[in-house]
Amino acid sequence: MAGFEIVDHTADWSIRVWADDLADLLRQAAVAMNYLMVGGETAVSPTITRHLSLDADDAEGLLVDWLGELAYWAEMEQVVFAQLALTAVSPTHLTATLRGGPVPELVKHIKAVTYHNLAITPTEQGLEVTIVFDV
């Protein structure tokens, strides 16, 4: 079962995300980041479709690149993607089709997704990671 919680952090924002597998972890991390940026206003009309393909050296790099792309579109175009179809996922590659739309405003802004203490770890239920965002 996938989920997330906001974790107290002294200067930045942090979330803990868990899921059954890497695809669900990536999707849930995006849902959590969207929640930070737009609060409860995640119900956007899906008027924009984007296709995304990413390669990275490892799963942590893939997670940072994935969230970085989504944060870029939110900051530059004020577009949030609520429908995330990840069609191919490995620890070093993902392919996704994203559907979303513009939001009236971002409640909080994310400058970057950091590698600070970033480690995807296996648990008895699947995978878990804590992500720190530079704000």
Side-chain angles (χ1 to χ4, degrees):
M1 175 180 245
F4 72 90
E5 67 180 351
I6 297 171
V7 178
D8 286 337
H9 194 277
T10 54
D12 296 315
W13 297 335
S14 181
I15 55 173
R16 186 176 71 88
V17 180
W18 59 90
D20 294 336
D21 57 34
L22 183 58
D24 282 344
L25 190 77
L26 293 166
R27 188 175 11 267
Q28 192 62 41
V31 169
M33 189 177 74
N34 284 348
Y35 180 82
L36 287 175
M37 292 188 301
V38 298
E41 300 298 324
T42 56
V44 296
S45 184
T47 58
I48 298 171
T49 300
R50 298 267 166 85
H51 301 282
L52 180 64
S53 181
L54 295 172
D55 292 297
D57 292 335
D58 55 27
E60 286 80 5
L62 192 64
L63 175 63
V64 168
D65 291 350
W66 162 246
L67 294 178
E69 287 286 332
L70 298 174
Y72 173 81
W73 285 322
E75 288 293 327
M76 297 305 293
E77 300 177 15
Q78 217 157 317
V79 170
V80 172
F81 295 97
Q83 297 176 14
L84 310 160
L86 281 70
T87 53
V89 175
S90 76
T92 59
H93 175 80
L94 80 78
T95 303
T97 299
L98 316 170
R99 297 193 71 215
V103 292
E105 67 177 317
L106 297 178
V107 175
K108 297 178 179 177
H109 297 269
I110 291 176
K111 290 182 191 171
V113 182
T114 76
Y115 282 93
H116 180 74
N117 292 333
L118 185 70
I120 297 172
T121 56
T123 67
E124 290 183 15
Q125 291 78 33
L127 299 171
E128 180 179 302
V129 66
T130 298
I131 307 161
V132 176
F133 299 99
D134 182 17
V135 296

